[in-house]
C-alpha cells in the first residue's frame, strides 16, 4: 500500500511572517490527519521559521531547490546539508520552472538528486511534458528521458516522483483523472524498467492545478498516490481541504 503524500509548493510566495501565520492556522486543522504524509515547501528564506514551528508535528518540511556541491564558492547557492540543518526532510528537484527558466537539464538534475540522497535528504523529483511536446506526440519520449536521465544511478530510498504536465501548472487547466492515470501508469512502467518491483512502492504525485474540488477524483486513480500543489496550497483552508481529500 502506498501512503498518500500531499505536498505544498509555495514557489516564490510568503515572507517569514506569512509563513508563520499559515502554519499557525494550518497545524491545528490537520492535527488529526494520521494517514497522509503532509509536506510544506516554503521559499529558502522561510525554511528556518517553518522548521521550528513544524518540529515534532505531523507536517514535514521541504526546500524547493539546492545545489549539488557540498560547499564552496558558489554565490547564491544552498547545499543539502544547509537544508537538512533547518529541519527540512525533502527537497523538490526538477520542477518544470527550474527546467524552463533556469535551464536545468536531466544531467544537471541527476547530480542534484545524487547529492541530496548522499546527504540524507529525500527528493521529490518532478517530471512532465509541455503542451507542444504532448501535441507533437513526444510526451512519452520526454517522460522516459526525464526518468532515465534524472534518476541515473539513484535508488528508490527517499524518493518521491511528481508528474506535472507543464500545460496544467498554474493555468487552471487540470489533466483529467484519465490523462493523469495514463501518464502515471507510463511513469510507473518506466520506473519498473529501472527499479523492477520496487517501482510499485514509489509514490507518484500529480501536480498541475490541483484544487479542493478536483483532488478526490485524481486520488481515486490507481497510480496517483498524492499531489504537489502550488496555487491552492497558499491558503490554509484550501490546502487543508486537499490534505483531507477523502
Ligand atoms: P499549481 O502548481 O498547483 O499552481 O498548478 C503546481 C506546481 O507547480 O507544483
Amino acid at each position: 500500500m502506498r501512503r498518500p503524500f500531499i505536498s505544498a509548493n509555495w514557489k516564490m510566495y510568503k515572507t517569514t511572517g506569512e509563513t508563520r501565520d499559515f502554519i499557525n492556522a494550518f497545524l491545528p486543522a490537520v492535527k488529526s490527519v494520521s494517514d497522509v504524509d503532509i509536506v510544506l515547501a516554503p521559499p529558502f528564506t522561510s525554511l528556518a521559521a517553518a522548521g521550528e514551528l513544524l518540529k515534532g508535528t505531523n507536517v514535514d518540511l521541504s526546500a524547493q531547490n539546492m545545489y549539488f556541491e557540498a560547499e564552496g564558492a558558489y554565490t547564491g547557492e544552498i547545499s543539502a546539508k544547509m537544508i537538512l540543518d533547518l529541519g527540512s526532510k525533502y527537497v523538490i528537484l526538477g520542477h518544470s520552472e527550474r527546467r524552463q527558466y533556469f535551464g536545468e537539464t536531466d544531467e544537471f538534475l541527476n547530480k542534484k538528486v545524487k547529492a541530496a540522497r548522499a546527504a540524507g535528504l529525500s527528493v521529490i523529483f518532478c517530471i512532465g511534458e509541455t503542451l507542444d511536446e504532448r501535441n507533437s506526440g513526444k510526451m512519452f519520449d520526454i517522460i522516459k528521458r526525464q526518468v532515465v536521465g534524472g534518476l541515473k544511478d539513484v535508488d528508490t530510498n527517499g524518493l518521491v516522483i511528481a508528474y506535472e504536465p507543464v500545460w496544467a501548472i498554474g493555468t487552471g487547466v487540470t489533466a483529467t483523472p484519465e490523462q493523469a492515470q495514463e501518464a502515471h501508469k507510463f511513469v510507473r512502467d518506466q520506473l519498473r524498467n529501472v527499479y523492477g518491483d520496487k517501482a510499485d512502492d514509489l509514490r507518484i504525485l500529480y501536480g498541475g492545478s490541483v484544487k479542493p474540488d478536483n483532488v478526490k477524483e485524481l486520488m481515486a486513480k490507481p497510480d496517483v498516490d498524492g499531489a504537489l500543489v502550488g496555487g491552492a496550497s497558499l491558503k490554509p483552508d484550501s490546502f487543508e481541504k486537499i490534505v483531507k481529500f477523502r
Side-chain angles (χ1 to χ4, degrees):
M1 257 318 268
R2 295 185 291 266
R3 186 179 154 92
F5 187 111
I6 310 256
S7 180
N9 172 14
W10 286 354
K11 309 190 180 187
M12 201 170 72
Y13 291 98
K14 292 195 191 295
T15 60
T16 50
E18 290 163 348
T19 297
R20 284 199 185 92
D21 289 348
F22 179 105
I23 292 175
N24 287 331
F26 182 68
L27 279 180
V30 297
K31 209 174 156 197
S32 60
V33 178
S34 57
D35 50 1
V36 177
D37 284 345
I38 310 170
V39 179
L40 298 180
F44 282 137
T45 46
S46 290
L47 273 184
E52 272 165 35
L53 292 172
L54 297 180
K55 201 179 287 171
T57 72
N58 60 331
V59 178
D60 286 316
L61 188 62
S62 178
Q64 299 175 19
N65 184 29
M66 55 160 264
Y67 193 51
F68 56 77
E69 293 290 355
E71 60 183 10
Y74 303 103
T75 301
E77 292 299 318
I78 305 278
S79 73
K81 193 170 148 196
M82 294 167 184
I83 292 167
L84 282 163
D85 185 45
L86 298 177
S88 182
K89 181 173 172 187
Y90 296 92
V91 62
I92 297 172
L93 294 174
H95 193 281
S96 63
E97 287 149 16
R98 300 294 319 171
R99 295 178 188 263
Q100 200 177 334
Y101 305 137
F102 301 96
E104 299 196 4
T105 62
D106 296 320
E107 201 186 354
F108 184 67
L109 287 166
N110 182 241
K111 288 186 185 167
K112 291 191 180 198
V113 178
K114 286 201 268 199
R117 290 303 306 128
L121 198 53
S122 294
V123 173
I124 301 170
F125 184 67
C126 306
I127 55 175
E129 81 289 356
T130 64
L131 191 58
D132 275 356
E133 288 162 349
R134 174 173 277 257
N135 288 343
S136 60
K138 289 195 214 129
M139 164 184 167
F140 293 113
D141 288 344
I142 295 290
I143 294 175
K144 186 174 172 181
R145 193 204 72 208
Q146 291 173 339
V147 168
V148 172
L151 298 177
K152 189 167 181 285
D153 302 327
V154 173
D155 71 22
T156 55
N157 291 332
L159 185 64
V160 176
I161 308 293
Y163 167 69
E164 301 200 301
V166 180
W167 46 273
I169 294 179
T171 57
V173 180
T174 322
T176 64
E178 290 68 34
Q179 285 172 322
Q181 171 57 25
E182 181 193 32
H184 280 228
K185 187 177 177 311
F186 180 77
V187 171
R188 199 174 307 283
D189 288 344
Q190 299 314 304
L191 292 167
R192 199 170 281 114
N193 290 340
V194 181
Y195 298 121
D197 288 347
K198 282 189 182 168
D200 291 322
D201 299 329
L202 275 173
R203 268 98 49 101
I204 307 177
L205 320 181
Y206 169 78
S209 299
V210 174
K211 298 183 201 78
D213 63 5
N214 61 21
V215 62
K216 191 173 176 175
E217 53 182 13
L218 287 159
M219 290 299 289
K221 292 295 174 189
D223 286 295
V224 178
D225 308 313
L228 183 56
V229 189
S233 74
L234 292 169
K235 294 223 167 73
D237 57 338
S238 161
F239 193 50
E240 174 197 346
K241 286 187 191 129
I242 293 175
V243 164
K244 295 179 178 169
F245 65 93
R246 288 186 176 93

